[in-house]
Amino acid sequence: YAAAQSVLTEDERDLGVTLIDIGAGLSTVAVFRDNALVHVDALGVGGRNVTSDIARGLSTPLEAAERIKLFYGSALHGARDEFERIPCPPVGAMDELRHIKRAELTSIIRARTEETLDLIKTRLAKAGLDTYSGRQIVLTGGGSQLSGLRELTELVFNKGVRVGSPHGIFGLPDALDAPDFAVATGMLRHAFEQTGEAVAGPPDLS
């Protein structure tokens, strides 16, 4: 709900939209229709699980797996993935640096992200919201910035998908004007709007 305050438009909340916030250890879902919050859900899966899968699949430290995900990671295969090789630090200090095909990394990431999206889709369907939730999905949170995730989400849900960044709050530094801070900026916006409502209009002197 907080993320929705900063990344959704009024038209999206009115016509129907599913907001998926992908954090480090948690993915949360909120469905809006007719300008009302109609459904919330949470899964104990997030960006940290992708990092863990990379670390195990490539036998590399977690810190290195996170860097590999940020610099080379994608949820969809590219034309040169079979030919491009990326550095993969070893777990043991004395082991040599290896280079693996980018396609191997992409396969690991896609397996986890597609499984997560399928699980969200199934839970929305069981709640009877697959059609009621409209034709739009908005991704936000740190995990939403993974390359190829928007396109993969379109394939899984067969709906329009965009990545949502905070809007409506002026003066944010560039570093904070990103999906990572959707919840924090949404809470700020909600707090200020609540304050504005409390002091709006003429004083009641009755």
Side-chain angles (χ1 to χ4, degrees):
Y1 180 81
Q5 300 305 303
S6 66
V7 304
L8 296 184
T9 67
E10 187 173 344
D11 283 342
E12 285 173 333
R13 290 194 295 265
D14 184 31
L15 298 174
V17 64
T18 301
L19 177 68
I20 303 176
D21 186 326
I22 305 174
L26 196 68
S27 294
T28 53
V29 182
V31 177
F32 288 80
R33 177 76 180 258
D34 299 324
N35 274 318
L37 175 65
V38 297
H39 178 78
V40 292
D41 200 357
L43 309 173
V45 181
R48 190 179 297 124
N49 297 88
V50 177
T51 302
S52 180
D53 288 351
I54 294 171
R56 289 191 175 94
L58 302 182
S59 297
T60 193
L62 281 169
E63 186 178 345
E66 180 67 19
R67 287 198 304 271
I68 290 171
K69 181 181 74 174
L70 292 176
F71 285 107
Y72 305 105
S74 177
L76 287 180
H77 287 277
R80 294 192 51 79
D81 281 4
E82 285 292 337
F83 309 101
E84 187 176 349
R85 291 187 171 271
I86 58 177
C88 183
V91 175
M94 302 302 292
D95 295 337
E96 293 184 2
L97 178 70
R98 298 181 298 113
H99 288 77
I100 57 106
K101 289 182 179 180
R102 191 168 187 167
E104 188 176 347
L105 171 65
T106 306
S107 295
I108 294 171
I109 294 174
R110 174 158 185 169
R112 172 65 74 173
T113 52
E114 194 166 15
E115 179 187 43
T116 303
L117 293 172
D118 280 332
L119 184 56
I120 292 173
K121 182 181 180 181
T122 300
R123 290 170 72 139
L124 287 172
K126 285 183 178 179
L129 295 167
D130 46 346
T131 303
Y132 184 78
S133 58
R135 299 291 306 162
Q136 180 72 18
I137 292 176
V138 177
L139 300 173
T140 195
S144 69
Q145 298 175 89
L146 177 67
S147 175
L149 181 60
R150 183 185 65 81
E151 293 82 359
L152 180 60
T153 306
E154 287 180 343
L155 290 173
V156 171
F157 285 89
N158 192 28
K159 294 185 178 184
V161 181
R162 71 175 179 89
V163 177
S165 294
H167 63 265
I169 297 182
F170 300 101
L172 280 178
D174 291 341
L176 302 185
D177 190 17
D180 314 49
F181 298 94
V183 172
T185 53
M187 292 173 69
L188 285 172
R189 184 170 179 174
H190 179 72
F192 280 110
E193 286 178 351
Q194 290 294 93
T195 304
E197 291 170 1
V199 299
D204 182 4
L205 303 177
S206 59

